Amino acid sequence: MEPSIDLNEIRDFLVELAKQAGELITSKTGQTTYDDKANSVDLVTETDAAVEKLVATKCNEKYPHFEFMGEESYVPGVTKLSDKPTFVVDPIDGTTNFIHSFPFSCTSLGFAINREPVVGVVYNPFLNLMYTGIQGQGSFLNGTHKLPLRQPPAGTKLTLQNALIGIEWGTQRSGVNYQVKTDTFKKLAAEDGKMVHGFRSLGSAAMNICAVAAGQLDAYWEGGCYAWDVCAGWVILAEAGGRIVGGNPGLWEPAVDQRIYLAVRGGDGCEQFVEDFWDCIEGRLEY
Ligand code: LIP
């Protein structure tokens, strides 16, 4: 049985670490070259690696018995998220934004026990937005503003027709997944489809999820990101009354590393919203 883990101490530790990471990120913006990973739109910089080294080193110093999973040290087919207490980290989420100096990149510092996100810290140092959440203790912006920030108009239900939805084009720009995404985008947007209020692509899964937690987006749908993209936002959203379900129809309780997600805010109508959204998906995403 795990000795009791002080989640408040971990939140405070990750907030201070996020500030250190943020200083490193802002010090390098606009000055960094980049490399391709899977293709010419899957990008990584030396700063991603430097931030992950900083975060991993500090986590290991403070909590040597906990595990660490980070985007830049992940080895496909080898690295697995265990049941042990684990820091699940994306050093810079929104790397393409970072390269372009578009101010929507963040460091996403999650902590999971038994593969369940229990602490989340997402920090955008360009806009000074620090989102935090602890399982069972609520989630906040900059420590004082309880999430969600925005409540929907009184008496309104969440429906596709009144939804602002986060989407991402991701790094796969051909093949079945790209076809499923683009066909679904068209069905959601079209006048003879669901004619949603609109789409927003912040370029960062963590920032998209935090926008849903804040009530500024109603949902966010993506396939292809990873546990480190969503772990911190997961608990921040849950503590704001929302939830993450599977991004393919029928999966109400996805694993954090399941890679296909639909995040939805809380409120009246959100379960029907999920069912209606799933009905719009033109096929199945596979990762
Ligand atoms: C990004 C994700 C985003 C996805 C991008 C990229 P990164 O993570 O946050 O949701 O659409 O393709 O994977 O690579 O900036 O850490």
Side-chain angles (χ1 to χ4, degrees), residues 93-94 168 202-210 220 222 225-226 229-230:
D93 189 42
E168 294 292 338
L202 299 183
S204 155
M207 296 297 306
N208 283 321
I209 296 171
C210 287
Y220 154 61
E222 184 165 11
C225 39
Y226 290 83
D229 292 308
V230 303

Side-chain angles (χ1 to χ4, degrees), residues 53-248:
K53 182 177 179 183
L54 166 70
V55 172
T57 300
K58 296 288 188 181
C59 287
N60 189 48
E61 284 172 357
K62 176 101 174 152
Y63 298 102
H65 303 300
F66 293 170
E67 294 192 347
F68 183 90
M69 171 184 270
E71 177 174 12
E72 307 316 329
S73 49
Y74 171 76
V75 179
V78 176
T79 311
K80 300 287 185 192
L81 180 61
S82 78
D83 288 342
K84 293 180 181 176
T86 305
F87 292 103
V88 187
V89 166
D90 190 342
I92 303 179
D93 189 42
T95 297
T96 301
N97 291 342
F98 172 66
I99 289 165
H100 288 267
S101 298
F102 184 72
F104 276 82
S105 47
C106 63
T107 190
S108 181
L109 311 180
F111 182 68
I113 300 174
N114 296 321
R115 304 171 78 241
E116 180 182 12
V118 292
V119 180
V121 172
V122 174
Y123 180 48
N124 176 337
F126 301 97
L127 302 180
N128 190 31
L129 298 173
M130 179 77 77
Y131 297 92
T132 59
I134 299 177
Q135 189 177 66
Q137 297 187 40
S139 52
F140 298 86
L141 171 62
N142 293 344
T144 55
H145 304 287
K146 186 162 178 32
L147 301 180
L149 305 178
R150 169 189 176 268
Q151 294 293 353
T156 61
K157 279 192 173 186
L158 175 57
T159 66
L160 286 169
Q161 288 71 26
N162 65 22
L164 190 61
I165 299 173
I167 62 168
E168 294 292 338
W169 295 89
T171 53
Q172 278 187 16
R173 302 298 178 85
S174 64
V176 172
N177 286 330
Y178 185 70
Q179 193 67 49
V180 171
K181 285 183 179 180
T182 52
D183 288 349
T184 303
F185 295 162
K186 285 169 66 178
K187 182 165 186 179
L188 287 167
E191 185 171 6
D192 63 353
K194 300 304 179 182
M195 208 166 180
V196 301
H197 273 184
F199 294 139
R200 298 294 182 270
S201 296
L202 299 183
S204 155
M207 296 297 306
N208 283 321
I209 296 171
C210 287
V212 179
Q216 296 158 338
L217 288 177
D218 297 297
Y220 154 61
W221 179 60
E222 184 165 11
C225 39
Y226 290 83
W228 50 78
D229 292 308
V230 303
C231 182
W234 195 293
V235 61
I236 291 166
L237 175 58
E239 289 302 312
R243 65 187 296 183
I244 292 183
V245 299
N248 282 318

